[in-house]
Structure formats: C-alpha cells, structure tokens
C-alpha cells in the first residue's frame, strides 16, 4: 500500500518534478563519466541515482522507480530494527520503520534534493545488512565498511556507527562499545578531512554529502514554473489557460507560457503574442524559466534568443551537471543557424546517452546532409525565417 501510494503521488500529484529532474541532467554511458563520479566520495551512489533519473523521461517509469526505492528503504529499515531490537514490540517497530521513507518522500518534493540521497540511504542500509551477527567479526567489518562505504555513499555511513550501538543491549562492557563507536566516528571524520585534500570540494560540502542536495539552492526554479513547463511540454494549451484562470502565475516566464497557450488557442494574434514579450530577458531567473523561454522562442522562430536561453539553462543546472534537454535545443539552434561543427559537438555527447542516442543519430544525418534541412517540416521553415529576416533584439 505504501508503494502504491508513493507511485500515485508522484505520477498524479508531482509529475512535473519527475520530468524536471531528468531535464537538468545528462547521464553518459561511457567509462569517463563513471570514472569522474567514482573519483569523489559518494560517487557510486550519485552514479546510481543519476542512472535511475535518466529513466524519468517517462513520468510513469519515474514514479515507479521512486516508489520502489522508498519501499525498499522501508523494508530494509524494518529488517534492521527487528535485528537490533528483537525484544521490542513488532507492531511498534513496523510503525517506526516508515519514518525514514516518509522523510525521504518529503525531501524529494524539494527539487534541490537529488535522487542521490535516497539511493545513498538505501545503499548504506544494504551495507549494514551485510554485517555478520557475531560481535568480533561485525566489529572488524564495521571498521572496514566505514572508509569503503564513505567512498561509495558519502557521510551517510555514519549509520554504521549508530548501528554498532546495538551491542549496548548485549552482556558486553558498555564502555568498550561506546569507545569502539567513537573510534569509528573518528575514522569517518578522518576520511572526510582526508578526502578534502585532493577532491575539488570544500570540507563543508563533503561533510554534508556531495549531491545529497544542491550546493547552490534555488537555481532550478519554483514548483509553479515546473508545472507550467510540464504542461507546455505536453502541449496542454487549454490546461495552461485554465490553470492561469484559477490562479494568476507569479513568475514572468509562466506569464509568457500562458500567452503562448492563448496564441495556439487563437485567443491572441501573432502581434499580440509578440507585444506580450516585454523584456523577456528578465524572465531568465533560473534553469526552468530559461528552458521554458528557450522552447517559447524556438517555436516562435526567434532562434538566436532561444539559443541564448538554452545556454542560460545549461549554466543554471545545479551541481555542475549538464542538461540533456538544453543540449538538444542547442543542437537544433546550431542546425538552423548553420553552425554544423558546433551541432556535431553536441550530437557526439548525446550519442553517449540511452534515450537521446536515436534522436542524435538522426540529427547527425541532417548535419551530414544539410541540403535535406530545407525539406524538414520543422527545421526547414525555421532556417528560411532565420535567413530571410533580421534578428530581433529582446532586452
């Protein structure tokens, strides 16, 4: 029931968050990308989290993945609670086991919390499950798992130290158990400090966990922006108008998307649409608004401004990520403007992905045979407009 509830929530209540996570990430299926992630603490968990996020192009698959991860967290935490407190009331333990999954559910509703966090928590629980039941062997295993787990999952392995305190209920000297836990915590602190000497992250970022949350929060955008962006990607123009009628959007970029929806629904003229774009550069406040404006201007035929907005979206992606969606738009603008070598650079990156590869290979054929572009139903008219009209200056 918990898993079904999580699936329905993410699919029907927050699908925009799912799609936006994928839009602001570029997962490459090559060894260099894996090596880059594994070269920093917590890189394995981040790699797994980003691997999962690439499937968020489908909100159904994304909702299912999040539901499975949260339900797995619930189940493993319940197993560890029963192992640690066998004499406690099982109904109480079962109720308590929901807490981590619910907290992670709540945190994921914030776009600044990445999928790395629940994956890290789940990975750490899996490492703890591997610890044997005999105290001496478990102690040795814990001291080994702390540095190994830190490099795999980051500082979340502090849970291993907490789990070691279960021996306080055993007939051992409690002083020894506490001392061993302190030594494990010091070992973890030494790992964090030592890693700060040779990785390009500050000690505070390493202590908080790389990519658990965005290093610079608020760069992605608000929930309102993501919902409007989701609707315009679905071309749900009538729903956009109805949403704006119920509550006037706060963000300038959302107002522009409402105008675009009215244009497609023939409620305003092309001249009215153009007049509504008063100082559109002010709408480029974050990654989501930038990619929305890039879509809007590309559809209107203003390719140069679409390219600029796509660059803004790329640079606004958090935690030094690239954006697959922005790269696709930059490929299109380079194709229309005749920058074929630039387009090939972007295409070569997109060909290293799972879901953009086929599209990138198709774009490579167009770049290799530019004479075919004029007959393309989408890029042909845009290329003609670009060649035959003067650039508009939007400031």
């Amino acid at each position: 029931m918990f898993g079904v509830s999580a699936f329905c929530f993410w699919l029907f209540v927050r699908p925009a968050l799912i799609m936006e996570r994928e839009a602001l990430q570029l997962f490459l299926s090559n060894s260099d990308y894996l090596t880059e992630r594994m070269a920093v603490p917590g890189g394995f968990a981040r790699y797994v989290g980003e691997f999962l996020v690439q499937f968020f192009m489908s909100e159904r698959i994304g909702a299912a993945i999040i539901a499975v991860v949260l339900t797995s967290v619930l189940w493993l935490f319940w197993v560890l609670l029963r192992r640690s407190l066998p004499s406690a009331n099982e109904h109480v333990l079962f109720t308590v086991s929901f807490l981590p999954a619910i907290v992670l559910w709540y945190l994921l509703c914030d776009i600044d919390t990445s999928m790395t966090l629940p994956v890290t928590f789940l990975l750490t629980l899996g490492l703890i499950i591997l610890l044997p039941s005999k105290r001496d062997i478990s102690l040795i295993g814990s001291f080994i798992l702390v540095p190994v787990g830190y490099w795999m999952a980051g500082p979340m392995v502090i849970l291993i130290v907490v789990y070691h305190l279960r021996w306080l209920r055993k007939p051992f000297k409690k002083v020894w158990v506490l001392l061993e836990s302190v030594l494990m915590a010091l070992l973890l602190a030494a790992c964090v400090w030592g890693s700060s000497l040779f990785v390009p992250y500050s000690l505070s970022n390493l202590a908080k966990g790389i990519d658990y949350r965005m290093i610079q929060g608020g760069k992605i955008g608000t929930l309102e922006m993501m919902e409007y962006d989701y609707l315009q990607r679905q071309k749900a123009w009538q729903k956009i108008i109805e949403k704006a009628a119920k509550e006037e959007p706060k963000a300038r970029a959302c107002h522009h998307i409402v105008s675009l929806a009215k244009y497609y629904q023939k409620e305003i003229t092309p001249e009215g649409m153009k007049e509504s774009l008063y100082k559109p550069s002010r709408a480029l406040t974050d990654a989501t608004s930038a990619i929305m404006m890039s879509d809007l201007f590309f559809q209107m035929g203003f390719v140069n401004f679409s390219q600029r907005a796509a660059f803004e979206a790329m640079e606004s992606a958090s935690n030094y990520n690239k954006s697959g969606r922005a790269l696709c738009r930059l490929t299109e603008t380079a194709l229309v403007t005749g920058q074929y070598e630039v387009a090939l650079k972007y295409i070569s990156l997109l060909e290293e992905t799972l879901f953009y590869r086929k599209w990138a290979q198709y774009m490579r054929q167009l770049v290799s045979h530019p004479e075919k572009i004029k007959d393309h139903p989408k890029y042909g008219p845009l290329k003609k407009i670009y060649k035959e009209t003067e650039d508009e200056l939007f400031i």
Side-chain angles (χ1 to χ4, degrees), residues 26-73:
L26 181 70
F27 183 87
L28 301 178
S29 303
N30 58 40
S31 58
D32 289 340
Y33 190 82
L34 174 61
T35 302
E36 179 184 337
R37 291 292 180 261
M38 295 298 293
V40 296
F44 178 75
R46 182 178 181 181
Y47 184 84
V48 173
E50 292 175 342
F51 173 82
L52 296 177
V53 169
Q54 70 176 327
F55 294 94
F56 285 18
M57 288 191 74
S58 165
E59 56 265 46
R60 291 180 177 82
I61 297 177
I65 288 174
I66 294 176
V68 169
V69 170
L70 293 179
T71 307
S72 300
V73 167

Side-chain angles (χ1 to χ4, degrees), residues 8 28 84 98 113 119 136 147-148 151 155 180 233 244 253-254 301 363 378-379:
C8 292
L28 301 178
S84 304
F98 281 80
T113 302
V119 169
D136 293 339
V148 173
W151 205 261
E180 291 159 0
R233 292 180 71 179
C254 297
M363 294 299 286
K378 180 179 181 181
Y379 306 126

